[in-house]
Amino acid sequence: MAPTTSSQFFLLVSIISLVACKSANGQLSPNFYARTCSNLQTIVRDVMRQTVTREPRMGASILRLFFHDCFVQGCDGSILLDDTGSFTGEQNAAPNRNSVRGYEVIDAIKTRVEAACNNTVSCADILALAARDGVVLLGGKSWQVPLGRRDSRTASLSSANSDLPPPSADLPTLISMFSAKGLTARDMTILSGGHAIGFSQCSNFRTRIYNETNIDPAFATTRRANCPFSGGDTNLGPLDSTPNRFDNNYYQNLVARRGLFHSDQVLFNGGSQDATVRTYSINPAAFLRDFAAAMVKMGNISPLTGTNGEIRRSCGVINS
């Protein structure tokens, strides 16, 4: 029997309500800004291209900025909030202070996005896109970034101090810290491949190059040249042998006992992740593909959507 007009109307209303409910409950979509800010991705890509051309290291810095955002309260832009007289954010937590960088790049992108489509795109989404583009510009595989995040009005210094994996972490600790964010041990090993690009300060790897035994002696000697036993804490060392190119050399280095951090080398040290590391060390295409997928998964950690949070007008401060 054909439905009555009232039944058809009820069915239509029910479908619309269901769609609206899904939208409000955290369904991110690559097409979220297709109608409201159609040139968003072009703007982000242009600024990132200019930035990375000028300073290739910034691709890694933006990737790290996104990681440190997502692991504290979810991917909500909370790390971008500046401290004020009445507000303490995450930027001066121990893992971030004087080491996380790239805030000005996100601000530059935000300024251009606001000029094109004001009060529309969150800083959290800009950061997610910028992280993707930095990887791609240095040779990584692209991925569709699900969008629709909103910006947090809060931040957590204590969570930043407790939830971000330190370079001294052992394998069980790493697995546990990633599991707490809904990521598997394999996800952790893949995302650690973000260390395919960038540099780190001497203070983060000094203990490894002077005290550890599961390290290639020639590699340790090379790194010691710019990282003395005492002093020089902010001197930089490359995270892998091709720090400005996103490739699988990170995993090849681990197999050769040339991981820069303790938390890198534990991925290949007779433990559960050895087989995964070996696979990526000989199959660069598999790494680039799986890294892209893992970044989407990480970008889905506890986003604010719907009416939660806000669209900040300036990434460093909450709206008044």
Side-chain angles (χ1 to χ4, degrees):
M1 183 168 59
T4 64
T5 301
S6 60
S7 297
Q8 290 174 319
F9 177 75
F10 178 78
L11 180 62
L12 179 61
V13 170
S14 298
I15 292 172
I16 292 172
S17 298
L18 179 62
V19 171
C21 181
K22 284 185 70 177
S23 176
N25 283 334
Q27 298 297 315
L28 303 182
S29 165
N31 300 315
F32 188 83
Y33 299 107
R35 294 184 179 180
T36 57
C37 195
S38 60
N39 57 343
L40 166 64
Q41 304 217 25
T42 300
I43 294 171
V44 176
R45 191 176 303 114
D46 286 349
V47 176
M48 284 302 295
R49 182 180 294 111
Q50 294 165 10
T51 300
V52 172
T53 298
R54 184 171 62 248
E55 184 188 359
R57 182 187 169 206
M58 193 56 78
S61 297
I62 297 296
L63 177 61
R64 183 169 183 245
L65 185 59
F66 182 51
F67 173 79
H68 281 219
D69 182 38
C70 288
F71 260 59
V72 181
Q73 297 189 171
C75 309
D76 61 357
S78 59
I79 195 173
L80 303 174
L81 289 171
D82 299 326
D83 286 358
T84 69
S86 58
F87 175 85
T88 300
E90 299 164 16
Q91 295 182 7
N92 284 302
N96 297 332
R97 185 174 56 249
N98 299 323
S99 67
V100 168
R101 57 200 295 272
Y103 301 108
E104 73 283 1
V105 176
I106 304 304
D107 288 342
I109 298 171
K110 178 65 170 175
T111 297
R112 288 189 54 180
V113 170
E114 284 295 303
C117 32
N118 71 300
N119 198 34
T120 301
V121 181
S122 68
C123 298
D125 276 344
I126 287 172
L127 178 53
L129 288 168
R132 187 269 312 274
D133 290 346
V135 168
V136 172
L137 287 162
L138 293 176
K141 181 181 175 65
S142 189
W143 62 90
Q144 284 197 316
V145 178
L147 300 167
R149 301 169 189 80
R150 287 167 66 85
D151 296 321
S152 173
R153 291 179 56 83
T154 64
S156 177
L157 178 70
S158 61
S159 293
N161 278 321
S162 64
D163 291 7
L164 291 164
S168 59
D170 58 19
L171 186 57
T173 299
L174 290 171
I175 292 173
S176 175
M177 295 183 84
F178 276 73
S179 177
K181 305 301 176 183
L183 299 168
T184 67
R186 182 171 177 273
D187 294 329
M188 179 269 295
T189 300
I190 296 166
L191 289 167
S192 294
H195 289 172
I197 51 176
F199 295 76
S200 180
Q201 296 181 4
C202 166
S203 57
N204 291 322
F205 59 87
R206 175 183 285 118
T207 298
R208 169 148 171 77
I209 63 174
Y210 284 99
N211 298 341
E212 298 190 4
T213 57
N214 62 338
I215 187 169
D216 174 65
F219 172 74
T221 298
T222 299
R223 291 283 74 83
R224 288 172 183 172
N226 198 42
C227 183
F229 189 77
S230 63
D233 284 2
T234 60
N235 292 358
L236 297 177
L239 284 165
D240 89 348
S241 51
T242 52
N244 292 328
R245 190 170 76 235
F246 199 89
D247 54 25
N248 70 326
N249 277 1
Y250 170 76
Y251 298 99
Q252 295 177 359
N253 293 162
L254 296 186
V255 172
R257 296 185 303 151
R258 294 176 180 172
L260 186 65
F261 295 160
H262 179 84
S263 60
D264 290 322
Q265 195 60 56
V266 295
L267 302 181
F268 190 83
N269 194 40
S272 63
Q273 300 307 297
D274 282 21
T276 301
V277 169
R278 198 174 288 281
T279 294
Y280 292 138
S281 75
I282 60 177
N283 192 336
F287 164 56
L288 296 181
R289 179 196 66 221
D290 292 349
F291 184 83
M295 285 295 292
V296 172
K297 189 173 181 181
M298 187 181 78
N300 283 331
I301 298 175
S302 305
L304 296 174
T305 59
T307 57
N308 295 316
E310 65 182 14
I311 305 297
R312 281 188 225 135
R313 289 186 289 271
S314 173
C315 292
V317 294
I318 60 174
N319 296 340
S320 56

